Amino acid sequence: MKFSIIIPALNEAQNIQGCLSALQPLRNDCELIVVDGGSTDGTPAIAEPLADQVISAPKGRARQMNAGARQATGEVLLFLHADTFLPDNAIQLIREQINRPAPWGRFDIRLSGDHFMLKVISQMMNWRSRLTGIATGDQAIFVTHEAFTAVGGYPDISLMEDIALCKALNKISPPLCLKAKVNSSGRRWLQFGLYKTILFMWSLRLRYFFGADPKTLARLYSGGHLWKP
């Protein structure tokens, strides 16, 4: 079973080398595809020697990840953020459990950092995901190429594309919720303020739930001085 790890990137010069370096031991089983959304900081040049493919796509995680999936040759697609690191046995765990019975899933998450609330937030994210069957992009969503194609891939929306994909995949089956943890940077949460970030992100989710236009949410997201959509 071959895997394709797809990494959307936009001005990730500070993170992309560390991300790809950590994935080098997996290259016997995985192809690494970086999809750049128009970086101006040299991200593609840094990624080139460490990836199997570095391609360009219109800015936007959904568009970039769909572009990567179109180029992917793996039976399983794994979507990974540039500031997130997989557990050591990630590929083995997916191989052992995928299609038994679910063709998709995600990992638990650990937000790195010293603030005690990062552990609380991580645990709440994991519990919420198990309860709802919805994963966030930083939980490293994985899915068979067949199932991804069957639901039409990521919808071409400006924000909340991970929620929309999970809702579509839930019509096939609930996700595999792997207890092994990816490590994702808590730096951005701390920069904006933990409690402000929690309230802000929940307000975006509620607006989306009640039918707000993802383009409007994306503008709010960018204007909130959080990480880029």
Side-chain angles (χ1 to χ4, degrees), residues 97-114:
Q97 299 190 54
I98 194 111
N99 283 324
R100 301 181 185 177
W104 75 287
R106 94 303 180 268
F107 292 89
D108 275 359
I109 188 172
R110 178 189 295 113
L111 293 172
S112 63
D114 295 330

Side-chain angles (χ1 to χ4, degrees), residues 34-98:
V34 176
V35 189
D36 187 71
S39 296
T40 58
D41 65 350
T43 294
I46 297 171
E48 189 75 39
L50 297 170
D52 296 289
Q53 298 185 58
V54 178
I55 64 174
S56 298
K59 176 183 173 182
R61 277 186 176 151
R63 293 176 179 177
Q64 290 172 239
M65 291 186 288
N66 283 337
R70 286 192 293 269
Q71 296 296 316
T73 62
E75 299 165 74
V76 178
L77 310 177
L78 192 159
F79 299 97
L80 186 68
H81 290 182
D83 61 355
T84 300
F85 294 85
L86 296 172
D88 291 339
N89 59 342
I91 300 303
Q92 178 184 347
L93 289 172
I94 297 172
R95 182 181 284 117
E96 290 173 350
Q97 299 190 54
I98 194 111

Side-chain angles (χ1 to χ4, degrees), residues 81-172:
H81 290 182
D83 61 355
T84 300
F85 294 85
L86 296 172
D88 291 339
N89 59 342
I91 300 303
Q92 178 184 347
L93 289 172
I94 297 172
R95 182 181 284 117
E96 290 173 350
Q97 299 190 54
I98 194 111
N99 283 324
R100 301 181 185 177
W104 75 287
R106 94 303 180 268
F107 292 89
D108 275 359
I109 188 172
R110 178 189 295 113
L111 293 172
S112 63
D114 295 330
H115 198 292
F116 80 96
M117 275 300 296
L118 291 171
K119 294 181 180 179
V120 175
I121 293 168
S122 300
Q123 190 59 61
M124 294 299 292
M125 291 172 67
N126 297 331
W127 284 343
R128 181 192 67 209
S129 182
R130 280 188 169 78
L131 180 64
T132 64
I134 301 296
T136 59
D138 45 13
Q139 288 178 291
I141 294 171
F142 55 86
V143 57
T144 64
H145 210 149
E146 181 180 8
F148 186 78
T149 301
V151 300
Y154 281 96
D156 188 6
I157 56 179
S158 303
L159 198 66
M160 304 295 176
E161 73 287 337
D162 46 359
I163 294 176
L165 176 69
C166 291
K167 285 183 176 180
L169 289 170
N170 265 302
K171 295 178 180 179
I172 298 176

Side-chain angles (χ1 to χ4, degrees), residues 2 8 14 30 35 120 143 159 161 181 199 208 223:
K2 185 177 180 181
Q14 292 185 343
C30 306
V35 189
V120 175
V143 57
L159 198 66
E161 73 287 337
K181 292 180 174 64
L199 291 173
Y208 179 70

